[in-house]
Amino acid sequence: MHRILALLCTVLFAQPASAAVTLTLSCGSVGIEAQLCREGAEAWARETGNHVAMVSTPSGSTERLALYQQLLAARSGDIDVLQIDVIWPGILAAHLLDLTDRLDATSRAAQFPANIENNTVDGRLVAMPWFTNAGLLYYRRDLLEAHGLPVPETWEALSATAKRIMNAERAAGQDRMWGFVFQGRAYEGLTVNALEWVASHGGGTIVAPDGQITIDNPRAATALTQAAGWIGGIVPQGVLNYAEEEARAVFQSGNAVFMRNWPYAWPLMNAADSAVHGRVGVALLPRGTGEDARHVGTLGGEQLAVSRYSRHPAEAVELVLYLTSRAEQKRRAILGALNPTIRDLYDDPQVLAANPFFRTLRETFENAVARPSSVTRGRYNQVSAQFWNAVHAVLSERGTAAEVLDRLDRSLIRLRRGDTW
Ligand code: GLC
């Protein structure tokens, strides 16, 4: 009798403490991101006896934000752990748990301070840095060599080189060859690309860190006019509908000389099934011309956050800590070229062997230009949507850069409503 009672008690009382939970996790799905995320989550599940269900969300950043906003506004517990873009902490902070206490002094010191600062909203660390991103120029090393041309330093040089090689290759029978591909669809990725063009011409960052709206300026107009001139020439018309993966598909099948993309594309370019395997180089994005022109890559990156509406917050936080750990960041860097947020991994021989440009382009990762999301806070997505729509209008010849930027400036002033964001 006693034994039965004791057994019953063990079952009844031990059960809740050790019961396995099922968490839902949403990660990105660009390149092999989803696979790497699933592998990490499965390893955690095996170690802890819990389960993780992967929720598939749209691969485009803009669409994923819309879905998260819907779920979170409804206080839905459907997603416990969310991958969030570097520009979203200010937009989603109210729905995310504070992780400050889960980052001890040593782990904090190991991170890039800018990421911690970016993810801290009103004193709350609302997301753990997971990987960082910066825009890069991918080029066909074999074609530049064959045509005896250097890697372009300026956008003007890129235009000329792209044109020359594209024309020569077409004349030699490669009739699907293009000069340059990038992300030109009307979404967050276009904001990223256009910020690179504008800032590399010394035209600022749309809204300055002090909140001033600066986008209506001649350098920004020059940058956008130049980009509009590429469409239908060195750049396919279809780029107006490209996100990251569409650009990668064209370049990876051997049909473009240059591509702007994130580091994730590197291992895929060199995979066995890639048509350009071993023939690709990576460089800084070109700079504009004139004073204040410089090489600029936009800062991107992803974080992991726990929803306030999670029914298993303790386990969800553990999963976040596991996935953002040094070991997991190292694995993801080696297999997926997903740039760690832990600084000393940039000196790790295995990480560098897999991604030599982590060393040569370290400066790009450390000096990447941030989008104005911290200053515009909850309104960043509206600012960005106005900017990408304006840029899309210039690229598709629905207005000159000067006209469109003048309208954008007035519209952003209305959005700001007063002196502060
Ligand atoms: C990548 C970046 C992110 C950016 C997005 C744009 O996912 O990490 O910061 O907003 O691309 O497409």
Side-chain angles (χ1 to χ4, degrees):
M1 181 64 192
H2 277 312
R3 280 190 54 197
I4 295 176
L5 205 66
L7 201 71
L8 207 68
C9 288
T10 332
V11 174
L12 287 179
F13 295 123
Q15 188 72 14
S18 63
V21 303
T22 299
L23 296 178
T24 46
L25 164 65
S26 144
C27 6
S29 53
V30 169
I32 55 168
E33 254 189 313
Q35 176 201 324
L36 291 173
C37 178
R38 185 175 342 99
E39 289 166 2
E42 279 167 2
W44 177 81
R46 273 196 304 278
E47 239 174 60
T48 60
N50 293 307
H51 307 288
V52 183
M54 309 290 292
V55 192
S56 61
T57 50
S59 67
S61 192
T62 300
E63 292 81 359
R64 198 155 78 245
L65 176 61
L67 177 73
Y68 283 177
Q69 284 182 305
Q70 245 174 43
L71 286 173
L72 294 170
R75 302 177 167 252
S76 151
D78 285 357
I79 304 183
D80 297 289
V81 175
L82 309 95
Q83 172 175 325
I84 73 164
D85 197 324
V86 69
I87 50 184
W88 299 346
I91 301 176
L92 301 180
H95 302 287
L96 305 175
L97 284 191
D98 183 3
L99 304 173
T100 309
D101 293 345
R102 303 310 306 265
L103 192 67
D104 60 38
T106 319
S107 317
R108 181 177 287 262
Q111 297 273 348
F112 287 114
N115 284 324
I116 299 292
E117 200 182 307
N118 181 75
N119 295 1
T120 304
V121 181
D122 299 329
R124 302 166 66 240
L125 179 68
V126 297
M128 280 299 174
W130 198 19
F131 64 97
T132 187
N133 250 335
L136 300 172
L137 179 72
Y138 287 82
Y139 61 90
R140 286 284 300 278
R141 212 182 33 231
D142 57 332
L143 293 180
L144 289 185
E145 270 166 26
H147 293 268
L149 294 167
V151 178
E153 282 286 320
T154 63
W155 291 111
E156 272 177 11
L158 177 135
S159 312
T161 304
K163 191 168 179 186
R164 221 167 111 186
I165 299 181
M166 180 185 91
N167 289 342
E169 292 294 310
R170 285 189 180 182
Q174 260 275 31
D175 55 358
R176 290 166 66 192
M177 183 59 89
W178 290 99
F180 182 38
V181 286
F182 59 87
Q183 294 75 47
R185 196 172 90 196
Y187 81 124
E188 184 61 32
L190 180 55
T191 290
V192 163
N193 281 253
L195 177 61
E196 283 159 354
W197 308 330
V198 168
S200 69
H201 278 83
T205 56
I206 313 164
V207 176
D210 67 0
Q212 289 301 312
I213 297 162
T214 57
I215 189 59
D216 188 12
N217 70 75
R219 290 176 188 162
T222 303
L224 298 187
T225 306
Q226 180 179 50
W230 297 330
I231 313 292
I234 57 168
V235 168
Q237 192 78 35
V239 86
L240 295 171
N241 220 8
Y242 284 6
E244 283 80 356
E245 288 291 81
E246 287 81 13
R248 180 170 74 84
V250 173
F251 187 83
Q252 196 170 317
S253 55
N255 293 327
V257 186
F258 297 109
M259 167 177 72
R260 183 269 173 217
N261 216 324
W262 304 109
Y264 85 93
W266 173 252
L268 303 170
M269 290 302 135
N270 291 310
D273 64 354
S274 160
V276 293
H277 174 100
R279 292 191 276 150
V280 175
V282 183
L284 295 177
L285 284 166
R287 54 181 164 73
T289 35
E291 256 178 84
D292 293 338
R294 63 199 170 107
H295 296 282
V296 171
T298 296
L299 177 72
E302 307 293 324
Q303 343 295 315
L304 286 178
V306 177
S307 161
R308 271 182 58 183
Y309 318 113
S310 166
R311 283 181 285 272
H312 308 291
E315 290 83 358
V317 171
E318 291 309 320
L319 175 59
V320 166
L321 294 178
Y322 182 92
L323 291 175
T324 57
S325 67
R326 191 175 190 286
E328 188 54 15
Q329 289 206 15
K330 176 169 171 175
R331 183 185 76 87
R332 295 162 52 84
I334 293 171
L335 295 176
L338 298 175
N339 288 56
T341 61
I342 295 176
R343 290 191 279 185
D344 70 6
L345 284 174
Y346 289 82
D347 299 320
D348 183 291
Q350 287 165 295
V351 170
L352 292 175
N355 308 293
F357 63 93
F358 279 17
R359 189 202 310 267
T360 53
L361 302 184
R362 191 165 174 162
E363 180 201 331
T364 318
F365 301 116
E366 284 172 10
N367 300 328
V369 163
R371 284 161 275 174
S373 55
S374 295
V375 60
T376 57
R377 298 145 60 93
R379 264 180 272 172
Y380 172 73
N381 198 48
Q382 287 144 284
V383 171
S384 183
Q386 292 199 8
F387 179 61
W388 79 57
N389 282 322
V391 175
H392 206 262
V394 177
L395 296 183
S396 42
E397 294 186 322
R398 283 180 281 122
T400 66
E403 286 159 12
V404 167
L405 291 181
D406 174 56
R407 268 204 305 276
L408 173 64
D409 180 58
R410 282 184 280 128
S411 172
L412 289 176
I413 291 170
R414 280 198 298 279
L415 179 66
R416 188 176 60 181
R417 287 192 231 114
D419 287 342
T420 53
W421 286 95

